[in-house]
Every structure is written in C-alpha cells, then in structure tokens.
Amino acid sequence: MADQSTNTQTKILEAASRVFQRKGMEGARMQEIADEAGINKALLHYYYRSKDKLFLEVFRLAIHDFIPGIRDILFRDVPLTQKLDHFIREYMRVLLENPFVPMFIIHELQRDPDRLFQVFVEAGIDPSEILQQVERSLKDNDHRSMDPKHLMINVLSLCIFPVAGRPLLQRIMFDNDGRAYEAFLEERYQVVSNFVINALQS
Amino acid sequence: MADQSTNTQTKILEAASRVFQRKGMEGARMQEIADEAGINKALLHYYYRSKDKLFLEVFRLAIHDFIPGIRDILFRDVPLTQKLDHFIREYMRVLLENPFVPMFIIHELQRDPDRLFQVFVEAGIDPSEILQQVERSLKDNDHRSMDPKHLMINVLSLCIFPVAGRPLLQRIMFDNDGRAYEAFLEERYQVVSNFVINALQS
DNA sequence: ATTATATTTGACCAATTGGTTAAATCATGT
DNA sequence: ACATGATTTAACCAATTGGTCAAATATAAT
C-alpha cells in the first residue's frame, strides 16, 4: 500500500541519513543502510535506484532541515543583542538534534564541491540578505563596529564547532564522559550568548 | 640509497597526507596516492605494507605536526590577554598551513574512535595542564569570570571553524572568491583576538 | 664487475561492493 | 477469489580495489 510504501521510504531515508552522516558517502555501505532500515538490499535498490541518488536525497534533506528557520529569527524587528540571543538558542537546539549534519555537509562538499553546492543553490539559500540585516542592526545601536561577516562566522563557529568536534573534544577534555559533555553543551547557549554580546559592547 | 629511500618515503607520506586529508580514509585510493607521489602502486606497498598502516602514519603525523607548539605559548608568564593574542595568532598561522587537518582528525575520529584516539594518548597530549594555566590566568586579573573550558573551546572554535568550513563558507558567503576568502582569513587573527579579549572585559 | 637496493612494469588474485534479476511470498483492497 | 503492489530470498554480475608477485631494469656503493 501507499501507506506501507511511504513508511518504508522514510524508514530508508532515516536509516540512510544516520549512516551517511556518520560515515560519509564513501564510508557508507548499501548493505549497512539496508540493515539499519531493517530491510534488504534488493528493496533498498527498489526504492532508490543507486547509492548516488540516495545520497543526494539525504544531502538535500540535511540542508533543508538545517539551513532554513535561521532566516526567520534574524528578520524579527528586535535589537541586535536580542536577535543574537534568539539565534544562538535556536541554532544550538537544532544542532543538538542533528549533531552530525555540519561535519557531513562540509566533508561531502569538499569531496564534490561543484555538484553538491548546486543543492544549496536549488534551496535558494542566500546569506546576503541575512548579512544586510546584521549590518543594519550593527549600525543602529551603540556597539563596537564590526564586519558583519566576521560576526556571523564567529557566532556560527561558537555554535557549530563544539557540536561537530565532539568526538575529539569530549575525549580530550572530558575524559570521554558523555553526560558531562551533554551538560556542557546544554549550558553553552548561555555562555555563547553572553560571550558574543559582551564582545560587542563598546 | 638511504638518501633516495627516505626521499621517496617522505614523498609518499606527503602525497598520502594530501589525499587522505582531502578524501578521508575510505575515500582515498592507493592508486591515487601512488599517482600523487609520482610512483606506482607496487612501490607504494613496498614502503607501506597496507593502506591501514599508511593511514595510521599519516594520522600520527597530522597530530604531531598540529597539536604541540600550542602548549609552549600558553606557558609563558604573561597576562591572559597577551597569552590569548599570541595563541590565536600562532594557531591561525598553523591552521592556514594545514587547513584540512582539523576536519580530517574529527572525521576519522568519528569513524574509528577508540583505535585512533590511542594516537592522542601515545602523543601524550594532556589539556588538563593547559586548562589549569588558563584557569589561573583567569583568576589573577580583572576579567569576567568564565569557565576555562568554555573559553578554550570558544577560542578553538573561532580559529578552526572558518578554516575547516571553507568549502561551505567561501561559496555561500564569498561567491566562491578564493582570494577574498584568503584576505578574510588573513585579517581574522586581529578580529578574533579583539573579539575574545573584549568578551572577557568586565 | 659485482652486489645490493630501489624502482618499474604488468599481470594477477581475492575480497568487497554497487547493482541486477527472477521467482516466491506476503499483504491488502476489490 | 483475484489482482496488485510490497517484500523477501538468494543467486548472480561487473567493476573496483587492496594487495601480491616475479621478473626486468636502474642506480649506486664496494
């Protein structure tokens, strides 16, 4: 049935997302994805003809689930500090739900830049308007002057790296204590928010 | 000759580093490494018996070239702000020379955590003493109080992410203008230094 | 010249892996 | 009961890939 069909399809996509995000396109095995989805390889190819097509779909999903939503926050008419605070909280939340996505995107983009960047283009992602927003907010109030690009990348760095770098950071700085690192990430929203807002104070 | 021998060996290691760092363990092909080194596959296996052994050597090198040196800066007896400034400048310099290393380390560590983390253990990397240093410096002067772990990860994030995320950031925010992004990264040392030091001001 | 080592060449093997196929079975709605 | 599509099973194929081997050649030291 169509019900079963879409059900299996999403089961496949979710399984493929997990495997691809953890092991990358080249590291992932179709058999492993089939196992993770609880089906067999034949059915996997029955739904997605090739590894490449399946991967592209997963990559598309990762970007669509991840990139938008950010825009909305930045376009509310509130002071910059509040805007930053909202963004950091919201973005950290999304990150914690999809901790492997940033690394996944960057790694795959390095492997096949031109083709995969098309996915961004198709998704209509355009940070220039976001940058303009940040720029306007920066001029209004009495903050230190700062290149909006640097500010934006600073915020992204502070949010993304601790999540993406977890396999290294948790082991090297937290004795591989998963719970301690969870707690660290949880409290991090406040820390980053304070850090950024303070850095902007003149 | 021993001369030729070591010469070829380093040629192989450098080639393997480039290929492994860009494509990862699973994405790299022995043939590609041989080509990049200007030799053939048989000779490649003559020097390094297996892909696994070659990879492990490359991973070891990446860590040894990368992690140390940081320590030395942080142990000089200078005020925290100056220490941070030195660190950021030095670390950014190393990063620009090895832009693929952080992603490489994190990605591979995710693939095979337990085994690869051994390389860190063998290298005797221990951030606890570094953390103590930062903690002491934080208490001495009139800064905002702050968890040294968060501070350290903030600094690392601000340095590493813009370099590691280049394949995405350059395309999405700089119209894929490589020179513009170079310039952006060059001026970034000052920006990050100011940003961090300002964020710590009470 | 001889020896030893480095290097090349090209063929080759075994295992893995993406992908296919055909037939059987299961489930469901009509 | 019948038809239809979902799913399984298991065998299979072709290409890739890590790795091996043996013989030929080059290079230098002795």
Side-chain angles (χ1 to χ4, degrees):
Chain A
M1 274 297 76
D3 205 21
Q4 276 287 42
S5 167
T6 57
N7 193 19
T8 304
Q9 201 159 356
T10 60
K11 234 173 39 180
I12 291 178
L13 274 181
E14 284 166 8
S17 286
R18 283 194 292 274
V19 177
F20 275 134
Q21 284 179 24
R22 284 168 203 252
K23 311 216 168 178
M25 159 74 170
E26 311 251 18
R29 301 283 163 251
M30 290 300 268
Q31 185 61 57
E32 194 183 350
I33 294 174
D35 293 345
E36 178 99 10
I39 59 170
N40 52 44
K41 210 175 54 169
L43 190 61
L44 183 57
H45 278 91
Y46 173 80
Y47 277 94
Y48 294 89
R49 284 201 180 151
S50 71
K51 184 182 186 181
D52 193 77
K53 283 192 170 49
L54 178 56
F55 170 79
L56 215 65
E57 196 56 32
V58 166
F59 193 76
R60 243 183 233 116
L61 268 181
I63 286 169
H64 279 87
D65 286 359
F66 206 69
I67 307 288
I70 296 171
R71 252 193 59 157
D72 311 331
I73 305 168
L74 293 173
F75 274 77
R76 290 182 204 148
D77 193 22
V78 292
L80 178 64
T81 57
Q82 202 174 329
K83 212 178 274 191
L84 285 170
D85 185 80
H86 282 166
F87 174 81
I88 292 167
R89 176 166 44 192
E90 193 59 23
Y91 201 58
M92 286 288 289
R93 197 185 54 71
V94 178
L95 271 167
L96 287 178
E97 281 171 10
N98 309 278
F100 301 105
V101 171
M103 276 283 306
F104 173 62
I105 292 177
I106 292 172
H107 182 256
E108 298 305 329
L109 214 54
Q110 191 163 32
R111 200 179 45 85
D112 190 358
D114 297 327
R115 180 155 159 271
L116 292 185
F117 188 67
Q118 274 307 110
V119 180
F120 285 87
V121 178
E122 288 163 17
I125 290 165
D126 178 21
S128 67
E129 40 178 8
I130 295 179
L131 278 174
Q132 280 173 20
Q133 269 286 327
V134 175
E135 200 163 10
R136 227 172 301 154
S137 304
L138 267 168
K139 275 183 186 158
D140 282 353
N141 297 35
D142 53 346
H143 306 106
R144 291 176 57 231
S145 71
M146 184 171 184
D147 180 346
K149 279 182 185 166
H150 277 292
L151 175 57
M152 196 170 164
I153 289 192
N154 282 0
V155 172
L156 291 177
S157 303
L158 291 168
C159 291
I160 293 176
F161 183 74
V163 178
R166 178 169 184 170
L168 174 59
L169 298 173
Q170 177 176 306
R171 275 190 167 70
I172 216 172
M173 291 178 68
F174 288 81
D175 269 331
N176 205 19
D177 180 343
R179 289 196 193 154
Y181 203 76
E182 289 289 347
F184 178 78
L185 286 179
E186 291 290 343
E187 79 190 14
R188 202 167 156 70
Y189 142 65
Q190 269 300 335
V191 174
V192 171
S193 183
N194 291 341
F195 194 80
V196 172
I197 289 169
N198 221 271
L200 283 174
Q201 236 130 45
S202 55
Chain B
M1 267 306 69
D3 205 20
Q4 276 288 40
S5 168
T6 58
N7 193 21
T8 304
Q9 201 159 357
T10 62
K11 234 172 40 182
I12 291 178
L13 274 181
E14 284 166 7
S17 286
R18 284 193 292 274
V19 177
F20 275 133
Q21 285 179 22
R22 282 169 206 253
K23 311 217 166 176
M25 159 74 172
E26 311 251 17
R29 302 282 162 252
M30 291 299 269
Q31 185 60 58
E32 195 184 348
I33 294 174
D35 293 346
E36 178 99 11
I39 59 170
N40 53 43
K41 211 175 52 168
L43 191 62
L44 183 57
H45 278 90
Y46 173 80
Y47 276 96
Y48 294 90
R49 284 202 180 152
S50 71
K51 185 184 186 181
D52 194 77
K53 283 192 170 48
L54 178 57
F55 170 79
L56 215 64
E57 196 55 34
V58 166
F59 193 76
R60 244 184 232 118
L61 268 180
I63 286 169
H64 278 87
D65 286 357
F66 207 67
I67 307 287
I70 297 169
R71 253 193 58 157
D72 310 332
I73 306 167
L74 292 173
F75 275 77
R76 291 182 203 147
D77 194 22
V78 292
L80 179 64
T81 57
Q82 201 173 329
K83 215 178 270 192
L84 285 170
D85 185 80
H86 281 167
F87 175 80
I88 292 166
R89 176 166 44 191
E90 193 59 23
Y91 201 57
M92 287 287 290
R93 197 184 54 72
V94 177
L95 271 166
L96 288 176
E97 280 171 10
N98 309 277
F100 302 106
V101 171
M103 278 282 306
F104 173 63
I105 291 177
I106 293 172
H107 183 257
E108 298 304 330
L109 214 54
Q110 191 162 31
R111 199 178 47 84
D112 189 359
D114 297 326
R115 179 154 159 272
L116 292 185
F117 187 67
Q118 275 306 111
V119 180
F120 285 87
V121 178
E122 288 163 17
I125 290 163
D126 178 20
S128 68
E129 39 178 8
I130 295 179
L131 279 173
Q132 282 173 18
Q133 269 286 327
V134 175
E135 201 162 10
R136 226 172 301 156
S137 304
L138 267 169
K139 275 182 185 160
D140 282 354
N141 296 36
D142 54 345
H143 306 105
R144 292 176 57 233
S145 72
M146 182 171 186
D147 180 346
K149 279 181 184 166
H150 278 290
L151 175 57
M152 195 168 162
I153 288 192
N154 283 0
V155 173
L156 290 178
S157 303
L158 292 168
C159 292
I160 292 177
F161 183 74
V163 177
R166 178 168 185 171
L168 174 59
L169 299 174
Q170 176 177 307
R171 276 190 167 72
I172 216 173
M173 292 180 68
F174 288 81
D175 269 331
N176 206 19
D177 181 343
R179 288 197 194 154
Y181 203 77
E182 289 288 347
F184 179 78
L185 287 179
E186 290 290 343
E187 80 191 15
R188 204 168 154 71
Y189 142 64
Q190 269 299 335
V191 175
V192 171
S193 183
N194 291 341
F195 193 81
V196 172
I197 289 169
N198 222 269
L200 283 174
Q201 235 129 46
S202 56

mmCIF file of all heavy atoms in Angstrom, chain A residues 74-99:
data_model
loop_
_atom_site.group_PDB
_atom_site.id
_atom_site.type_symbol
_atom_site.label_atom_id
_atom_site.label_comp_id
_atom_site.label_asym_id
_atom_site.label_seq_id
_atom_site.Cartn_x
_atom_site.Cartn_y
_atom_site.Cartn_z
ATOM 1 N N LEU A 74 16.234 35.977 12.314
ATOM 2 C CA LEU A 74 17.032 37.181 12.089
ATOM 3 C C LEU A 74 16.226 38.332 11.497
ATOM 4 O O LEU A 74 16.720 39.446 11.413
ATOM 5 C CB LEU A 74 18.213 36.843 11.165
ATOM 6 C CG LEU A 74 19.232 35.913 11.807
ATOM 7 C CD1 LEU A 74 20.273 35.483 10.803
ATOM 8 C CD2 LEU A 74 19.910 36.620 12.977
ATOM 9 N N PHE A 75 14.999 38.064 11.089
ATOM 10 C CA PHE A 75 14.244 39.132 10.451
ATOM 11 C C PHE A 75 13.202 39.768 11.366
ATOM 12 O O PHE A 75 12.500 40.671 10.958
ATOM 13 C CB PHE A 75 13.588 38.620 9.166
ATOM 14 C CG PHE A 75 14.514 38.707 7.996
ATOM 15 C CD1 PHE A 75 15.534 37.783 7.818
ATOM 16 C CD2 PHE A 75 14.383 39.743 7.086
ATOM 17 C CE1 PHE A 75 16.389 37.888 6.745
ATOM 18 C CE2 PHE A 75 15.234 39.847 5.999
ATOM 19 C CZ PHE A 75 16.240 38.907 5.831
ATOM 20 N N ARG A 76 13.138 39.268 12.606
ATOM 21 C CA ARG A 76 12.252 39.944 13.552
ATOM 22 C C ARG A 76 12.855 41.288 13.932
ATOM 23 O O ARG A 76 14.074 41.427 14.034
ATOM 24 C CB ARG A 76 12.090 39.070 14.804
ATOM 25 C CG ARG A 76 11.278 37.821 14.519
ATOM 26 C CD ARG A 76 11.100 36.996 15.782
ATOM 27 N NE ARG A 76 10.859 35.601 15.433
ATOM 28 C CZ ARG A 76 11.245 34.565 16.173
ATOM 29 N NH1 ARG A 76 11.899 34.779 17.293
ATOM 30 N NH2 ARG A 76 10.987 33.340 15.796
ATOM 31 N N ASP A 77 11.980 42.261 14.162
ATOM 32 C CA ASP A 77 12.458 43.616 14.416
ATOM 33 C C ASP A 77 12.736 43.824 15.901
ATOM 34 O O ASP A 77 11.975 44.468 16.610
ATOM 35 C CB ASP A 77 11.425 44.637 13.920
ATOM 36 C CG ASP A 77 12.035 46.031 13.879
ATOM 37 O OD1 ASP A 77 13.275 46.110 13.809
ATOM 38 O OD2 ASP A 77 11.277 47.011 13.925
ATOM 39 N N VAL A 78 13.829 43.236 16.328
ATOM 40 C CA VAL A 78 14.238 43.411 17.720
ATOM 41 C C VAL A 78 15.701 43.843 17.744
ATOM 42 O O VAL A 78 16.391 43.707 16.737
ATOM 43 C CB VAL A 78 14.074 42.094 18.513
ATOM 44 C CG1 VAL A 78 12.605 41.739 18.663
ATOM 45 C CG2 VAL A 78 14.827 40.969 17.839
ATOM 46 N N PRO A 79 16.143 44.361 18.874
ATOM 47 C CA PRO A 79 17.544 44.807 18.949
ATOM 48 C C PRO A 79 18.514 43.675 18.631
ATOM 49 O O PRO A 79 18.193 42.496 18.812
ATOM 50 C CB PRO A 79 17.708 45.247 20.411
ATOM 51 C CG PRO A 79 16.331 45.556 20.878
ATOM 52 C CD PRO A 79 15.417 44.658 20.123
ATOM 53 N N LEU A 80 19.714 44.041 18.217
ATOM 54 C CA LEU A 80 20.704 43.052 17.785
ATOM 55 C C LEU A 80 21.017 42.034 18.874
ATOM 56 O O LEU A 80 21.071 40.832 18.611
ATOM 57 C CB LEU A 80 22.003 43.768 17.362
ATOM 58 C CG LEU A 80 23.136 42.846 16.931
ATOM 59 C CD1 LEU A 80 22.772 42.072 15.677
ATOM 60 C CD2 LEU A 80 24.426 43.620 16.703
ATOM 61 N N THR A 81 21.196 42.531 20.085
ATOM 62 C CA THR A 81 21.559 41.600 21.165
ATOM 63 C C THR A 81 20.474 40.542 21.346
ATOM 64 O O THR A 81 20.776 39.362 21.479
ATOM 65 C CB THR A 81 21.755 42.351 22.499
ATOM 66 O OG1 THR A 81 20.557 43.065 22.786
ATOM 67 C CG2 THR A 81 22.911 43.314 22.415
ATOM 68 N N GLN A 82 19.244 40.972 21.306
ATOM 69 C CA GLN A 82 18.153 40.018 21.461
ATOM 70 C C GLN A 82 18.102 39.062 20.277
ATOM 71 O O GLN A 82 17.869 37.855 20.424
ATOM 72 C CB GLN A 82 16.838 40.785 21.577
ATOM 73 C CG GLN A 82 15.729 39.988 22.245
ATOM 74 C CD GLN A 82 14.494 40.848 22.477
ATOM 75 O OE1 GLN A 82 14.630 42.062 22.692
ATOM 76 N NE2 GLN A 82 13.328 40.246 22.422
ATOM 77 N N LYS A 83 18.335 39.616 19.111
ATOM 78 C CA LYS A 83 18.334 38.803 17.904
ATOM 79 C C LYS A 83 19.414 37.725 17.997
ATOM 80 O O LYS A 83 19.173 36.553 17.695
ATOM 81 C CB LYS A 83 18.601 39.718 16.704
ATOM 82 C CG LYS A 83 17.924 39.266 15.443
ATOM 83 C CD LYS A 83 18.183 40.232 14.292
ATOM 84 C CE LYS A 83 17.213 41.395 14.250
ATOM 85 N NZ LYS A 83 17.319 42.158 12.986
ATOM 86 N N LEU A 84 20.588 38.122 18.422
ATOM 87 C CA LEU A 84 21.687 37.169 18.564
ATOM 88 C C LEU A 84 21.331 36.096 19.587
ATOM 89 O O LEU A 84 21.561 34.909 19.369
ATOM 90 C CB LEU A 84 22.957 37.905 18.995
ATOM 91 C CG LEU A 84 23.650 38.717 17.896
ATOM 92 C CD1 LEU A 84 24.751 39.584 18.485
ATOM 93 C CD2 LEU A 84 24.210 37.794 16.832
ATOM 94 N N ASP A 85 20.762 36.527 20.686
ATOM 95 C CA ASP A 85 20.396 35.582 21.729
ATOM 96 C C ASP A 85 19.401 34.547 21.209
ATOM 97 O O ASP A 85 19.580 33.349 21.415
ATOM 98 C CB ASP A 85 19.797 36.344 22.911
ATOM 99 C CG ASP A 85 19.522 35.409 24.077
ATOM 100 O OD1 ASP A 85 20.477 35.089 24.799
ATOM 101 O OD2 ASP A 85 18.355 34.979 24.236
ATOM 102 N N HIS A 86 18.392 35.036 20.515
ATOM 103 C CA HIS A 86 17.419 34.101 19.946
ATOM 104 C C HIS A 86 18.074 33.136 18.987
ATOM 105 O O HIS A 86 17.845 31.939 19.021
ATOM 106 C CB HIS A 86 16.311 34.878 19.206
ATOM 107 C CG HIS A 86 15.303 35.464 20.113
ATOM 108 N ND1 HIS A 86 14.402 36.416 19.712
ATOM 109 C CD2 HIS A 86 15.045 35.247 21.424
ATOM 110 C CE1 HIS A 86 13.640 36.754 20.731
ATOM 111 N NE2 HIS A 86 14.019 36.074 21.781
ATOM 112 N N PHE A 87 18.875 33.698 18.114
ATOM 113 C CA PHE A 87 19.517 32.859 17.097
ATOM 114 C C PHE A 87 20.369 31.780 17.734
ATOM 115 O O PHE A 87 20.284 30.599 17.365
ATOM 116 C CB PHE A 87 20.380 33.712 16.174
ATOM 117 C CG PHE A 87 21.162 32.893 15.203
ATOM 118 C CD1 PHE A 87 20.555 32.417 14.050
ATOM 119 C CD2 PHE A 87 22.484 32.568 15.440
ATOM 120 C CE1 PHE A 87 21.254 31.641 13.154
ATOM 121 C CE2 PHE A 87 23.190 31.787 14.550
ATOM 122 C CZ PHE A 87 22.572 31.327 13.404
ATOM 123 N N ILE A 88 21.175 32.160 18.685
ATOM 124 C CA ILE A 88 22.088 31.196 19.309
ATOM 125 C C ILE A 88 21.305 30.087 19.998
ATOM 126 O O ILE A 88 21.620 28.905 19.857
ATOM 127 C CB ILE A 88 23.028 31.911 20.302
ATOM 128 C CG1 ILE A 88 23.991 32.817 19.530
ATOM 129 C CG2 ILE A 88 23.803 30.905 21.140
ATOM 130 C CD1 ILE A 88 24.745 33.802 20.392
ATOM 131 N N ARG A 89 20.248 30.474 20.706
ATOM 132 C CA ARG A 89 19.456 29.454 21.395
ATOM 133 C C ARG A 89 18.825 28.485 20.395
ATOM 134 O O ARG A 89 18.906 27.273 20.533
ATOM 135 C CB ARG A 89 18.368 30.110 22.238
ATOM 136 C CG ARG A 89 17.457 29.070 22.890
ATOM 137 C CD ARG A 89 16.610 29.679 23.987
ATOM 138 N NE ARG A 89 16.056 30.961 23.541
ATOM 139 C CZ ARG A 89 15.468 31.837 24.350
ATOM 140 N NH1 ARG A 89 15.372 31.583 25.639
ATOM 141 N NH2 ARG A 89 14.993 32.973 23.892
ATOM 142 N N GLU A 90 18.219 29.069 19.372
ATOM 143 C CA GLU A 90 17.512 28.245 18.387
ATOM 144 C C GLU A 90 18.490 27.363 17.618
ATOM 145 O O GLU A 90 18.258 26.164 17.408
ATOM 146 C CB GLU A 90 16.750 29.164 17.416
ATOM 147 C CG GLU A 90 15.754 28.449 16.561
ATOM 148 C CD GLU A 90 14.707 27.720 17.379
ATOM 149 O OE1 GLU A 90 14.468 28.106 18.559
ATOM 150 O OE2 GLU A 90 14.141 26.743 16.855
ATOM 151 N N TYR A 91 19.593 27.939 17.232
ATOM 152 C CA TYR A 91 20.556 27.202 16.417
ATOM 153 C C TYR A 91 21.204 26.071 17.204
ATOM 154 O O TYR A 91 21.420 24.975 16.693
ATOM 155 C CB TYR A 91 21.617 28.159 15.885
ATOM 156 C CG TYR A 91 22.348 27.648 14.675
ATOM 157 C CD1 TYR A 91 21.654 27.313 13.518
ATOM 158 C CD2 TYR A 91 23.720 27.489 14.669
ATOM 159 C CE1 TYR A 91 22.293 26.834 12.412
ATOM 160 C CE2 TYR A 91 24.387 27.013 13.560
ATOM 161 C CZ TYR A 91 23.674 26.692 12.433
ATOM 162 O OH TYR A 91 24.322 26.214 11.322
ATOM 163 N N MET A 92 21.501 26.344 18.455
ATOM 164 C CA MET A 92 22.073 25.285 19.305
ATOM 165 C C MET A 92 21.086 24.133 19.468
ATOM 166 O O MET A 92 21.482 22.960 19.494
ATOM 167 C CB MET A 92 22.431 25.863 20.684
ATOM 168 C CG MET A 92 23.661 26.745 20.720
ATOM 169 S SD MET A 92 25.220 25.832 20.517
ATOM 170 C CE MET A 92 25.311 24.976 22.076
ATOM 171 N N ARG A 93 19.809 24.471 19.551
ATOM 172 C CA ARG A 93 18.801 23.438 19.693
ATOM 173 C C ARG A 93 18.773 22.535 18.453
ATOM 174 O O ARG A 93 18.817 21.307 18.546
ATOM 175 C CB ARG A 93 17.425 24.077 19.905
ATOM 176 C CG ARG A 93 16.367 23.138 20.456
ATOM 177 C CD ARG A 93 15.014 23.833 20.521
ATOM 178 N NE ARG A 93 14.614 24.414 19.240
ATOM 179 C CZ ARG A 93 14.242 23.693 18.177
ATOM 180 N NH1 ARG A 93 14.214 22.382 18.255
ATOM 181 N NH2 ARG A 93 13.897 24.295 17.051
ATOM 182 N N VAL A 94 18.732 23.166 17.281
ATOM 183 C CA VAL A 94 18.736 22.397 16.035
ATOM 184 C C VAL A 94 20.005 21.562 15.924
ATOM 185 O O VAL A 94 19.971 20.402 15.493
ATOM 186 C CB VAL A 94 18.612 23.348 14.822
ATOM 187 C CG1 VAL A 94 18.678 22.549 13.528
ATOM 188 C CG2 VAL A 94 17.325 24.138 14.896
ATOM 189 N N LEU A 95 21.106 22.147 16.325
ATOM 190 C CA LEU A 95 22.383 21.430 16.255
ATOM 191 C C LEU A 95 22.385 20.179 17.113
ATOM 192 O O LEU A 95 22.855 19.121 16.697
ATOM 193 C CB LEU A 95 23.516 22.352 16.687
ATOM 194 C CG LEU A 95 24.161 23.181 15.589
ATOM 195 C CD1 LEU A 95 25.030 24.268 16.190
ATOM 196 C CD2 LEU A 95 24.998 22.278 14.688
ATOM 197 N N LEU A 96 21.854 20.315 18.313
ATOM 198 C CA LEU A 96 21.870 19.169 19.216
ATOM 199 C C LEU A 96 20.976 18.047 18.698
ATOM 200 O O LEU A 96 21.181 16.885 19.033
ATOM 201 C CB LEU A 96 21.433 19.597 20.612
ATOM 202 C CG LEU A 96 22.493 20.433 21.347
ATOM 203 C CD1 LEU A 96 22.000 20.887 22.711
ATOM 204 C CD2 LEU A 96 23.785 19.617 21.502
ATOM 205 N N GLU A 97 19.983 18.422 17.877
ATOM 206 C CA GLU A 97 19.134 17.388 17.279
ATOM 207 C C GLU A 97 19.789 16.755 16.051
ATOM 208 O O GLU A 97 19.448 15.640 15.674
ATOM 209 C CB GLU A 97 17.772 17.993 16.885
ATOM 210 C CG GLU A 97 16.827 18.150 18.062
ATOM 211 C CD GLU A 97 15.598 18.948 17.678
ATOM 212 O OE1 GLU A 97 15.413 19.193 16.471
ATOM 213 O OE2 GLU A 97 14.845 19.344 18.586
ATOM 214 N N ASN A 98 20.684 17.473 15.426
ATOM 215 C CA ASN A 98 21.367 16.966 14.225
ATOM 216 C C ASN A 98 22.876 17.185 14.331
ATOM 217 O O ASN A 98 23.465 17.910 13.529
ATOM 218 C CB ASN A 98 20.840 17.688 12.970
ATOM 219 C CG ASN A 98 19.336 17.658 12.903
ATOM 220 O OD1 ASN A 98 18.738 16.676 12.464
ATOM 221 N ND2 ASN A 98 18.709 18.729 13.351
ATOM 222 N N PRO A 99 23.471 16.553 15.298
ATOM 223 C CA PRO A 99 24.869 16.892 15.601
ATOM 224 C C PRO A 99 25.852 16.550 14.483
ATOM 225 O O PRO A 99 26.930 17.124 14.422
ATOM 226 C CB PRO A 99 25.165 16.065 16.858
ATOM 227 C CG PRO A 99 24.169 14.964 16.834
ATOM 228 C CD PRO A 99 22.953 15.509 16.170
#
